[in-house]
Amino acid sequence: MKKIIVAMIALFALSSATFAQTEDSRSASRPSKEEMIKERTERTVKRYGLNDTQAKQLLELNTKYAGKMAGPFGGRRMGPRPGGRQRPEGAPNDSAIQRRRPSREEIKARFAEMKANREAYEKELKGIFTTEQYTKYQEDAAKMKERFAKKSESKE
């Protein structure tokens, strides 16, 4: 009987410690925007065998375009989204946050903007990579696009 009571107390203590975690403690373990950019750049440098000059140029390019396009840096994690949570004017910080759905025109405009940013990124990337590196990059991008298309089809 004592073992059961001790086990229940231990279980209660562990479960209450789990629920005691706050939003701040969970978000503290997430990497910062700069860390994510550096990590992405390092993976690309390693994958395509870039030299130091190319690595520096790529880091600058990735920093410039972070949060501006869909893809490697996705706008969801690294930048404000149109139609996202917006605080009512004059509302205190702890008030309920209202959410507004973007219109079709806003969505189309955002996709057009992301596409233009993606094309500009690719153009600048082509100037950094050698022909062989850029060809390999394009092959990898095509494979990723194909996998995404297959995933999308299976969800429907």
Side-chain angles (χ1 to χ4, degrees), residues 149-156:
K150 285 181 182 179
K151 234 183 208 183
S152 296
E153 288 173 3
S154 66
K155 287 182 180 180
E156 293 176 359

Side-chain angles (χ1 to χ4, degrees), residues 67 74-86 99-100 102 110:
R76 279 193 267 175
R77 281 194 243 162
M78 297 179 110
R81 295 183 302 181
R85 293 180 179 210
Q86 298 174 351
R99 184 166 175 87
R100 180 185 68 82
R110 177 68 177 144

Side-chain angles (χ1 to χ4, degrees), residues 94-117:
D94 60 347
S95 72
I97 298 174
Q98 297 177 351
R99 184 166 175 87
R100 180 185 68 82
R101 293 192 82 133
S103 68
R104 288 184 190 263
E105 291 79 24
E106 288 173 325
I107 292 171
K108 285 181 182 179
R110 177 68 177 144
F111 276 114
E113 178 187 350
M114 287 189 302
K115 184 178 180 182
N117 284 330

Side-chain angles (χ1 to χ4, degrees), residues 54 57 61 120-130 134:
Q54 289 174 312
Q57 291 172 335
L61 181 66
Y121 176 85
E122 296 281 337
K123 185 177 179 181
E124 290 186 50
L125 190 65
K126 191 173 185 178
I128 295 172
F129 282 8
T130 64
Y134 191 71

